[in-house]
Amino acid sequence: MSTSADPLAALAALPGVAESVNAVRNAVDRVYGHRVMRRRSNEVTSEAALRGARGSAALAGADWALEEVRRRTDFGTEGEPRTVGAALRLTAEAGQLLSIWRQSPLRVLARLHLVAAGGAEGGEGVGRPRQPGEPVDEPLIGSDLPLPDAEEVAGRLDGLARLLLAGSEAPALVTAAVVHGELLALRPFVSRNGLVARAAERIVLVGSGLDPKSICPAEVGYAELGVAPYMAALEGYASGTPEGMAVWIAHCGRAVELGVRESTAVCEALQRGAA
């Protein structure tokens, strides 16, 4: 990452990033201008939350049909049901943490992990960054992406928090992509890091004002684009090169655009009286 006074703004100046930012901004503006949003935005928000949770769970290995997620009420068992339940809980919790995020991003991250783990997963490792020697259960990310040690995790988390609290002129997409990418690359918790990273990205997109009603679920886009491109783009982020960072930001931007497309379809269905 750049060592300039505003490293996030420096990332925004990378080749191709401005195009991604503009494409996202235009897409978001279009869905917010849909006539359904004037009267039924709460319904669109609720549906976007459900679809976003389904997408995030799919990336974590629980690729359930939307209607299955919609109808289920019991997520207390192990395996995929627990993963889907964690994604749903995070989606519900994220919207309540905006004010705290602006004051203490690390406190919010700890809370997100506690929610994702359901208060039990990981034992003493729940709700705090991992300590030396603690293993990480993150099936999506294989050995191709080196796992930073606990000391590096602590230092980089602190740096991320200071960066966010200092503020930036960078577009929301860039900030959200950095938060998402850094948390995935670090895997700071003993489990559920992907779910937490995507929830944190959602908080940034909403809190920045880009998507204040939370109707543009990027998680839908990531799931649609697929795991392999997601991991390839993440490797670009982890490389720290300008080219790699630009690829990751563009991937995040495309995911937001696909999330916008999903909610536009919801708006159209509501307009026709079909949802």
Side-chain angles (χ1 to χ4, degrees):
M1 194 177 294
S2 169
T3 56
S4 70
D6 188 347
L8 293 175
L11 291 177
L14 291 174
V17 171
E19 289 83 349
S20 295
V21 168
N22 289 336
V24 166
R25 179 75 268 176
N26 291 336
V28 172
D29 285 347
R30 284 195 298 273
V31 72
Y32 270 85
H34 197 287
R35 61 185 299 177
V36 166
M37 288 296 296
R38 300 174 202 157
R39 301 173 286 108
R40 305 179 70 177
S41 64
N42 289 342
E43 294 173 68
V44 181
T45 295
S46 295
E47 189 65 20
L50 182 71
R51 296 180 185 218
R54 193 217 72 82
S56 193
L59 288 169
D63 191 0
W64 288 16
L66 179 63
E67 292 311 312
E68 177 69 6
V69 178
R70 196 189 303 278
R71 75 171 187 82
R72 284 287 287 267
T73 57
D74 177 17
F75 300 99
T77 58
E78 296 298 323
E80 291 188 4
R82 183 178 287 275
T83 297
V84 175
L88 289 167
R89 290 193 302 272
L90 280 174
T91 300
E93 186 77 8
Q96 304 177 42
L97 297 173
L98 291 173
S99 61
I100 303 174
W101 178 266
R102 296 186 182 104
Q103 300 170 5
S104 178
L106 297 186
R107 181 180 166 194
V108 169
L109 293 176
R111 174 62 185 169
L112 290 174
H113 186 250
L114 183 66
V115 170
E121 251 175 46
E124 294 181 357
V126 171
R128 62 156 174 77
R130 55 187 166 86
Q131 297 178 354
E134 288 184 324
V136 175
D137 179 15
E138 199 66 44
L140 175 67
I141 302 177
S143 59
D144 291 341
L145 196 67
L147 181 68
D149 62 30
E151 184 177 357
E152 181 180 350
V153 166
R156 286 174 62 175
L157 280 178
D158 182 66
L160 179 64
R162 284 187 281 107
L163 191 65
L164 293 170
L165 292 172
S168 173
E169 295 298 318
L173 172 66
V174 173
T175 303
V178 167
V179 168
H180 184 173
E182 189 73 354
L183 292 174
L184 273 183
L186 290 179
R187 285 148 286 168
F189 302 107
V190 295
S191 65
R192 307 296 189 191
N193 291 284
L195 293 176
V196 169
R198 291 183 288 275
E201 180 187 60
R202 166 62 27 210
I203 289 173
V204 174
L205 293 173
V206 173
S208 68
L210 176 66
D211 181 20
K213 294 183 182 293
S214 195
I215 62 166
C216 306
E219 304 92 336
V220 169
Y222 293 122
E224 182 173 337
L225 291 167
V227 170
Y230 186 62
M231 291 308 305
L234 176 61
E235 288 173 11
Y237 176 89
S239 74
T241 65
E243 296 81 7
M245 299 292 284
V247 166
W248 172 250
I249 294 168
H251 189 77
C252 294
R254 182 58 181 152
V256 175
E257 289 185 73
L258 290 172
V260 167
R261 187 180 71 180
E262 187 84 357
S263 285
T264 300
V266 170
C267 287
E268 295 294 329
L270 288 170
Q271 185 167 287
R272 293 191 307 269

